[in-house]
Amino acid sequence: MEMKGYLKFVVVMGMVVSGCRGDVNTFRDCYAKCFIFCMIEPNKSLCTCTTQCLKECIFPSPSVTMAIDSHTQNLGYCKLGCATSLCSNISKAHNPDGKNVESCVGSCSNKCTMSYSASTP
C-alpha cells in the first residue's frame, strides 16, 4: 500500500516538474499545474481547486487584468462565468483533464465573443 502512494507521488511530481521547465504557455499547462498543486493542499475541495484554477488561468495576473480595456475584461469575466458553470465538472480529484477543460473553456471564448458582439451596436 505504501509503495502505491509513493509511485503516485513520483508520477505527479514528474508531471509537475516536466510542466515547469519554462513559463506556462498554454491554458492546459496552467490549469493542470494549478490543479495538481491545489489538490495536494490539505482541506481543499475539488470544487475549490477547479474554480481557483479556472480564475488563475483565465486571468493570469492581477496586473494584466487591470491593464486591459473594459471590452476585453468583460469578455474575460464572461469566459470565467461560462467556464465555471460548464467546465468545472470535467476535472476529477486525481485527473485535472487539462485537454478537455481547455477545449471547454475555448468554447466559452467563442460563446462570449459571439454574445458580446451580437449585443453591441
Side-chain angles (χ1 to χ4, degrees), residues 15-83:
M15 289 170 41
V16 170
V17 170
S18 68
C20 295
R21 288 191 179 150
D23 291 337
V24 177
N25 293 325
T26 66
F27 177 89
R28 182 187 320 179
D29 294 339
C30 174
Y31 183 82
K33 179 181 172 188
C34 174
F35 188 86
I36 290 168
F37 278 115
C38 183
M39 287 303 294
I40 61 173
E41 291 180 32
N43 302 321
K44 289 281 188 151
S45 70
L46 178 65
C47 181
T48 301
C49 289
T50 301
T51 304
Q52 174 186 326
C53 294
L54 285 170
K55 180 180 173 233
E56 284 182 23
C57 297
I58 289 172
F59 293 113
S61 73
S63 61
V64 171
T65 304
M66 301 308 267
I68 58 178
D69 63 46
S70 63
H71 171 77
T72 305
Q73 195 169 14
N74 287 341
L75 288 175
Y77 286 121
C78 176
K79 188 164 125 178
L80 177 60
C82 174

